[in-house]
Amino acid sequence: MARTLVVQLARLGDLIQTIPAITALRMANPEGGLDLLCPSSLAPIGRLIPGIDQVLEWDGAVWHRWAKEASAGLLPTHVERATKQLEALARHRYGTAYVLNHHRRALLAGSVLADDIRGPLLDGPLGSTLSPWASYVREVARTGRGCRVHLADAFCGLCGVLPPGEPPMLRRPSCPLPSGLDQIGRRGEPWIGLIVGAGAVERLVPVDIWKELIIRFLESAPHGRVVLLGEERERGRRIQDLLPSSLLGRVWDVTGRTSLLELVSVLGRCHLVIGSDTGPLHLAAAVGITVIGWYCGLARVHETGPYGVGHVVWQAEEPIDKSSRRRTDIRPSRWPIEETILFLLRGKGALPAAVAPGWSVWTSHCDRWGAYYTESGSLSSPPPEREALWAELSPFVLR
Amino acid sequence: MNNLPDNLPWLRKTAPALAEAVRAAPGGVLSLLPSREGTVTAKHGDRWIHSSYDPRKEARAWANAQFKEWKDDEVGVGLGVGLLYHVEALASLKQDGRRLAVIVPDVSELKDALDARPLGSWPEAIEWIWGEPEDMARRLADFGKPLRFMTYAPAAGLHEAIHREVEASLRRMVASRQSGQLRIAVVGPLYGGSLPIARYVISALESLGHRVTWIDHSAHHTSYERFGSYREIRHRLTMQNRFAELLSLDTAARLAEDPPDLVLAIAQAPLTAGVLAHLRKKKFLTAMWFVENYRHLTYWRQVASHYDHWFVIQRGECFEAFRRAGAPQVHYLPMAADPQVFYPSLLTDDEQREYGADVSFVGAGYQNRRVLLPCWLSPEWTFKLWGNEWEGAAALTSVLQRGGARIDTQTCRQVFNATTINLNLHSYDGPSLDPQADFVNPRTFELAACGAFQLADERSLLPDLFTDQEIIRFCSADEVPHLIRRWLHDHEARRAVAEAARHRVLAHHTYRHRMEELLAVIGLRYQDRIGAILRGDRNAGALADRAETPPELATLLGRFRRDQRVELKDMADGIRAKGAGRRLAREELLILLLDSYRSETRDLV
């Protein structure tokens, strides 16, 4: 029987949000071969996804280099070399490739490796007719409104499967942490992971805000510890410089010092992870850690909130402008420090009182239609529009 | 000595015909002497070919310097034979796979080298190039790789003329094999004499079949002039410099949006050192045709090292000066004429009255012209002076036309055609003829292209371009009245000279010739890049015919004309044009994939 390939060539957050679709595809066909094509840099994460047999690594840098050479003067050898690369990448041809990016490149990669592609376009990699789910995702991405189906569940829709019903988890990496990091999570409690950077500038939390949060937390939790996480070593250093020296023994800065697998391990040792960078937040949620998200910029909780149960997201509210039909880039003027500390100390019971001005606060759930968020203080009943959307966009799945 | 019997066998192995020629040659070109450290050294006449102290040490130093510049994919070509110490030193540094060739202009000299000392087996790894210059050039061209010429000056100096002939043949060969189309961006100046030259260059390149993008800054001239109206000189300079920087950045942005194979700047093009450095980092190939007197305009010093190739209109000291300033490659490329713009034309009576005279001069009022032209006025002939910047030249007021207005190209051509004797006095900021009279100005070629008779001041580089049967020259101001008298009434003789000059221009000195030569020089340097495109190796037909081309790709290439250069973008556009919804072949998908990476704009700004 022909094997199936899932193509996800976007960033970390997108790969993690592909896990429910992979899980659902596996559940639909427990015996069939199911492989994943993802960027080389994310392949270690791909190998932790349950249900994947083999991870194919897409080396974008090599393609960039070849494209540069070919554009300087196209030669048959350029095409031949690319063919060989693909033959080495995939030893067999796939029956179906599920392409979960709208980027033309992902569609082309899927087309070259599989007989049939399913994904955002109905008429092949050169087409322009969006599939119903792709239209929905695009509209949500454009306006930022009306979203009640999580992106991860929309990926399921693109693959023609229903969400798995329960949040799937990543496998924990088996490699041990280096001795310098191995003490994390061992003594003291709670350990709070702070993702101090962000892929997009508009989502960066100022270092002064992190400083304040750390001081308030460590003063309130005498046994608490903080781990600074992320790639931006300089930000980690700047935050440490701002902290009183008496607290430094309780703050671990691992920014820029962890591989992706080590990051997964460190996240797994935290009791709770806070940040505004959605990629690592998704990663933390995928290893079963409760996540607090500060969503601002273009990030929206209903679309890309951490997938699972019990995660909390403070969503910066956009100014009410009914005339605007485009997604607003929201820049908060204050950050929910008080409210977050309250939640850290008292748990969910504190949430109704933890609504900060300019922010709303949401809690995550999961059911047969996938993940959803309810606003703190309101009834936690699932939003009804999801079922209607599934019925409209994927009637054949429901039959 | 007497090492020939031991050395000839290896030469027989690699080049039997050359070995035979060496055996039969008389030798005795070099005088052999012992050096201070005991090895044999050589002289030619009074000139030392190798060190009189330690030829090996000297050769090692030379070879080390050459080796630093020698890239893996280049064939090294040694110029200069001598006793081969330098070749031996270079061969000892050369790694396997690199090719080293040596030009042998004189077999007798090689015989002296083979007889002078035992050589061992290293010469077997050398490719010996000998014969007529044309044959030697053909062998070099057939390498099909970039060539790096390494000149051991003391020995190469003995055969400078032959080396030049080989080089010229090589360029001609590459030029004659040009059948491919390059994408060339021509960066022009804001204003000035090099602006029309940019136009001629573009027209020539297009006539050769290349796709040319003109980055035309002349549209900004008015703004630039406006910045010149400040009273304070610092303000003016600051604003004009900043404006030039902005235009430089504009050039970079345009290049980023449509990357060419070659960026060809014409003198005064506003490209700053910073932008040029950035272009080099991004692998753009740059060349500058500096159509100015390097002694007068000296801004080239700041950017000399930033262009990959310099083409200049002067030789000798000019080359040295550019090299000292860091120019990696400097080549002589004289001015020319565009026969579509300058051609013989019949004038109406009215035009003849307006533009005609016995003697005319067209040009700006440089000091030497202000001093010398009045000496050439005479009641014996009518005289007209055309051009601008003649303010205050009282002695010439009576002959100055149109009140000293700047005249356009068309008027220029009409004056040239209507005048019996055109004076061509090269500009100089002194009261005499140019004491450093080397380059030949565009007017020389333009007058000749019009079939107009001219008297030109002597230039050291003029005899290489025109014979004295084609252009009549004067070496002193005193000669001019005599020459005018000699030629003014001899219509037939004038016509013969002028026609010969026109034939010379059409055969050798058009901008088309110059661009062929310029591209040949660059093509030789980058055989696998520019050279391959010029040879037509990147045309659809050549690509489809390659043995390694799979049939599916050949089918895609078949959609293009065989003589059409095919680029990745063209292939991808062709595939996309066939529409969506159909099943794409693997090769089509791969082309589209590569193109999707290509289309990400280069971040130059």
Side-chain angles (χ1 to χ4, degrees):
Chain A
M1 187 178 169
R3 298 180 71 83
T4 300
L5 182 69
V6 173
V7 178
Q8 179 51 271
L9 292 183
R11 291 177 295 185
L12 174 64
D14 299 274
L15 179 60
I16 301 296
Q17 292 181 93
T18 303
I19 301 173
I22 290 170
T23 307
L25 284 169
R26 173 54 80 199
M27 285 161 67
N29 186 9
E31 303 304 323
L34 181 61
D35 296 344
L36 168 70
L37 177 70
C38 69
S40 303
S41 57
L42 299 179
I45 299 294
R47 294 194 184 92
L48 299 177
I49 299 175
I52 288 296
D53 298 322
Q54 197 194 341
V55 174
L56 315 187
E57 298 187 23
W58 188 260
D59 192 340
V62 165
W63 282 91
H64 257 296
R65 201 169 60 240
W66 289 353
K68 202 170 172 187
E69 286 175 26
S71 58
L74 180 66
L75 289 172
T77 46
H78 294 134
V79 178
E80 193 189 335
R81 189 170 55 181
T83 304
K84 282 190 180 147
Q85 159 90 353
L86 289 172
E87 282 167 0
L89 185 69
R91 287 192 300 274
H92 37 67
R93 192 154 176 78
Y94 290 89
T96 305
Y98 293 100
V99 179
L100 299 182
N101 315 117
H102 194 183
H103 199 295
R104 198 75 67 181
R105 191 174 295 161
L107 288 157
L108 290 164
S111 301
V112 84
L113 294 169
D115 294 329
D116 181 29
I117 57 162
R118 295 194 197 158
L121 294 180
L122 293 177
D123 45 358
L126 292 181
S128 56
T129 313
L130 292 174
S131 69
W133 276 107
S135 294
Y136 170 74
V137 170
R138 173 174 279 197
E139 180 62 12
V140 168
R142 199 172 63 81
T143 63
R145 285 159 204 240
C147 176
R148 280 295 180 274
V149 174
H150 194 280
L151 179 64
D153 299 321
F155 283 163
C156 295
L158 279 171
C159 295
V161 286
L162 278 170
E166 287 195 3
M169 294 290 142
L170 271 185
R171 283 194 292 264
R172 296 285 182 99
S174 53
C175 57
L177 277 173
S179 57
L181 305 178
D182 197 40
Q183 294 305 308
I184 292 172
R186 297 265 187 246
R187 288 175 52 217
E189 193 176 345
W191 284 75
I192 305 296
L194 299 185
I195 297 156
V196 298
V201 180
E202 65 272 13
R203 289 189 210 169
L204 274 177
V205 177
V207 288
D208 284 334
I209 301 297
W210 287 128
K211 178 198 86 173
E212 202 179 331
L213 182 79
I214 294 166
I215 292 174
R216 297 288 303 279
F217 167 67
L218 292 177
E219 282 173 354
S220 312
H223 301 293
R225 300 281 190 276
V226 170
V227 190
L228 307 182
L229 300 160
E231 293 177 346
E232 297 85 348
R233 191 151 200 182
E234 185 51 35
R235 275 178 82 75
R237 213 173 275 147
R238 281 171 57 205
I239 292 167
Q240 286 212 76
D241 288 346
L242 295 171
L243 293 173
S245 53
S246 58
L247 295 180
L248 287 180
R250 296 165 66 194
V251 177
W252 294 63
D253 179 11
V254 301
T255 51
R257 290 165 54 201
T258 52
S259 66
L260 260 181
L261 288 184
E262 287 166 351
L263 178 63
V264 174
S265 294
V266 171
L267 286 168
R269 290 189 179 194
C270 293
H271 296 97
L272 198 136
V273 171
I274 305 174
S276 62
D277 192 359
T278 50
L281 288 180
H282 286 302
L283 193 58
V287 290
I289 305 304
T290 302
V291 161
I292 294 179
W294 288 355
Y295 273 41
C296 56
L298 297 172
R300 299 293 184 273
V301 58
H302 297 299
E303 187 185 350
T304 58
Y307 199 94
V309 177
H311 305 300
V312 176
V313 169
W314 268 271
Q315 172 73 62
E317 290 293 303
E318 52 194 307
I320 298 166
D321 178 7
K322 288 186 176 163
S323 62
S324 170
R325 292 196 44 78
R326 299 199 71 81
R327 168 177 294 225
T328 319
D329 176 1
I330 314 167
R331 311 284 177 111
S333 55
R334 71 177 291 279
W335 296 82
I337 302 171
E338 283 293 330
E339 298 76 8
T340 302
I341 296 289
L342 210 59
F343 175 73
L344 289 175
L345 299 176
R346 292 204 228 148
K348 276 190 192 153
L351 283 181
V355 179
W359 295 79
S360 55
V361 57
W362 302 78
T363 314
S364 72
H365 312 272
C366 204
D367 65 8
R368 65 180 293 237
W369 303 111
Y372 65 96
Y373 274 77
T374 57
E375 188 161 11
S376 173
S378 63
L379 289 174
S380 66
S381 53
E385 52 268 58
R386 291 179 307 151
E387 187 173 349
L389 265 170
W390 275 93
E392 181 193 335
L393 302 176
S394 286
F396 62 95
V397 175
L398 300 185
R399 266 189 243 122
Chain B
M1 314 308 158
N2 202 21
N3 293 291
L4 190 64
D6 293 332
N7 285 329
L8 264 187
W10 59 253
L11 189 60
R12 265 199 203 100
K13 248 195 264 174
T14 53
L18 176 60
E20 189 47 42
V22 167
R23 199 191 56 75
V29 173
L30 304 175
S31 319
L32 306 181
L33 305 105
S35 70
R36 291 271 177 91
E37 58 88 42
T39 49
V40 62
T41 186
K43 278 178 94 174
H44 180 264
D46 292 337
R47 178 175 174 172
W48 285 100
I49 301 299
H50 295 286
S51 162
S52 60
Y53 291 86
D54 188 343
R56 283 181 196 278
K57 191 175 167 192
E58 177 206 43
R60 275 196 301 273
W62 175 86
N64 284 332
Q66 301 295 326
F67 191 72
K68 273 186 204 154
E69 305 291 320
W70 188 8
K71 297 190 185 73
D72 278 342
D73 59 337
E74 295 171 331
V75 176
V77 181
L79 300 181
V81 173
L83 296 186
L84 298 172
Y85 282 116
H86 53 291
V87 180
E88 183 177 8
L90 202 54
S92 74
L93 297 173
K94 168 175 102 77
Q95 284 107 359
D96 288 345
R98 279 204 195 180
R99 297 172 76 177
L100 175 59
V102 173
I103 302 272
V104 182
D106 180 358
V107 179
S108 278
E109 186 187 3
L110 183 62
K111 184 171 192 174
D112 291 346
L114 300 189
D115 200 33
R117 61 195 189 99
L119 294 178
S121 62
W122 65 263
E124 288 178 28
I126 306 296
E127 297 178 51
W128 302 93
I129 312 285
W130 67 295
E132 292 301 312
E134 188 82 6
D135 298 332
M136 292 197 267
R138 190 167 297 112
R139 278 203 61 193
L140 293 176
D142 288 345
F143 281 135
K145 284 187 162 261
L147 305 174
R148 173 159 293 272
F149 287 94
M150 295 180 271
T151 306
Y152 178 68
L158 303 183
H159 306 288
E160 218 167 293
I162 294 179
H163 292 149
R164 264 216 300 271
E165 235 178 291
V166 170
E167 206 184 321
S169 298
L170 194 56
R171 283 202 302 272
R172 273 199 304 276
M173 251 165 235
V174 175
S176 70
R177 293 177 189 179
Q178 291 176 16
S179 63
Q181 301 112 31
L182 288 169
R183 284 172 286 126
I184 303 171
V186 173
V187 188
L190 273 161
Y191 64 99
S194 54
L195 181 59
I197 292 167
R199 292 198 185 99
Y200 306 146
V201 161
I202 289 162
S203 163
L205 288 169
E206 284 176 343
S207 78
L208 288 167
H210 303 295
R211 180 162 78 76
V212 185
T213 308
W214 184 13
I215 301 181
D216 178 13
H217 293 300
S218 64
H220 305 293
H221 182 209
T222 314
S223 307
Y224 184 81
E225 285 292 293
R226 200 173 150 74
F227 291 128
S229 63
Y230 294 102
R231 282 194 306 276
E232 193 54 66
I233 190 164
R234 281 177 309 160
H235 294 160
R236 177 167 62 81
L237 290 177
T238 304
M239 294 307 291
Q240 288 188 329
N241 284 343
R242 289 284 166 87
F243 191 59
E245 279 169 21
L246 181 70
L247 295 182
S248 185
L249 207 56
D250 168 61
T251 306
R254 285 173 196 283
L255 294 173
E257 289 191 3
D258 186 15
D261 301 308
L262 171 68
V263 180
L264 175 57
I266 306 298
Q268 311 264 31
L271 275 169
T272 60
V275 162
L276 285 165
H278 200 50
L279 291 178
R280 178 171 287 164
K281 205 168 123 196
K282 295 286 176 184
K283 311 280 183 212
F284 282 86
L285 185 62
T286 56
M288 157 67 91
W289 192 10
F290 190 70
V291 290
E292 303 280 1
N293 183 344
Y294 84 104
R295 298 185 191 96
H296 292 172
L297 279 182
T298 55
Y299 71 88
W300 54 267
R301 289 201 185 100
Q302 281 85 54
V303 288
S305 63
H306 294 288
Y307 282 100
D308 298 313
H309 284 267
W310 281 89
F311 293 88
V312 294
I313 58 172
Q314 287 149 293
R315 275 187 157 144
E317 286 173 7
C318 172
F319 277 30
E320 290 310 311
F322 272 82
R323 284 183 185 137
R324 272 199 307 275
Q329 300 283 331
V330 191
H331 313 270
Y332 172 60
L333 192 69
M335 298 305 310
D338 183 342
Q340 302 296 316
V341 178
F342 292 95
Y343 50 85
S345 58
L346 287 173
L347 303 177
T348 64
D349 290 345
D350 285 347
E351 286 170 336
Q352 185 62 43
R353 264 192 300 280
E354 183 176 358
Y355 302 115
D358 290 335
V359 181
S360 290
F361 178 81
V362 179
Y366 283 83
Q367 197 194 345
N368 64 330
R369 293 168 178 170
R370 286 166 179 261
V371 172
L372 297 177
L373 288 184
C375 307
W376 300 337
L377 301 180
S378 165
E380 294 175 53
W381 48 80
T382 58
F383 193 110
K384 283 184 181 170
L385 171 62
W386 303 82
N388 55 347
E389 297 175 20
W390 290 101
E391 295 78 9
L396 294 165
T397 310
S398 61
V399 293
L400 184 63
Q401 306 298 301
R402 296 186 179 175
R406 192 180 180 93
I407 61 166
D408 59 25
T409 305
Q410 192 190 340
T411 308
C412 241
R413 187 186 65 234
Q414 284 169 314
V415 171
F416 292 166
N417 274 292
T419 299
T420 309
I421 294 177
N422 289 279
L423 294 177
N424 178 8
L425 176 61
H426 286 72
S427 60
Y428 172 56
D429 279 327
S432 61
L433 296 181
D434 182 0
Q436 292 174 299
D438 48 8
F439 71 91
V440 178
N441 64 15
R443 191 177 298 104
T444 311
F445 300 94
E446 290 161 359
L447 281 162
C450 285
F453 180 83
Q454 63 179 304
L455 295 178
D457 52 333
E458 183 63 288
R459 315 289 294 177
S460 62
L461 293 170
L462 188 55
D464 285 347
L465 300 163
F466 294 94
T467 67
D468 53 10
Q469 305 300 304
E470 292 159 350
I471 289 181
I472 309 300
R473 306 94 192 264
F474 54 91
C475 297
S476 73
D478 299 342
E479 289 177 52
V480 175
H482 302 294
L483 286 170
I484 293 173
R485 278 187 204 100
R486 155 72 187 87
W487 292 96
L488 186 59
H489 302 294
D490 194 345
H491 172 74
E492 283 309 312
R494 274 198 328 269
R495 197 170 58 81
V497 170
E499 274 183 9
R502 175 169 158 75
H503 285 140
R504 173 68 67 184
V505 167
L506 296 182
H508 298 290
H509 302 317
T510 67
Y511 283 97
R512 197 181 149 99
H513 290 109
R514 296 296 182 258
M515 288 304 103
E516 273 181 336
E517 167 114 6
L518 178 143
L519 294 179
V521 168
I522 296 174
L524 269 176
R525 187 85 192 84
Y526 306 94
Q527 291 266 15
D528 51 350
R529 190 170 155 193
I530 302 290
I533 299 168
L534 283 173
R535 285 194 301 271
D537 292 357
R538 303 293 158 85
N539 288 355
L543 289 172
D545 293 345
R546 290 170 80 117
E548 71 270 26
T549 303
E552 297 81 1
L553 189 59
T555 308
L556 293 180
L557 290 163
R559 295 174 193 164
F560 298 87
R561 277 195 345 261
R562 279 186 66 82
D563 63 350
Q564 183 181 345
R565 178 180 171 191
V566 178
E567 298 176 62
L568 179 60
K569 184 178 174 298
D570 303 325
M571 294 276 278
D573 287 346
I575 295 165
R576 282 190 283 265
K578 287 187 75 183
R582 67 197 172 84
R583 191 159 202 88
L584 295 164
R586 167 179 281 238
E587 284 68 22
E588 289 179 304
L589 289 164
L590 292 175
I591 294 282
L592 291 170
L593 253 175
L594 286 168
D595 190 60
S596 81
Y597 282 94
R598 176 205 60 81
S599 57
E600 286 172 10
T601 310
R602 296 195 204 191
D603 176 21
L604 267 178
V605 180

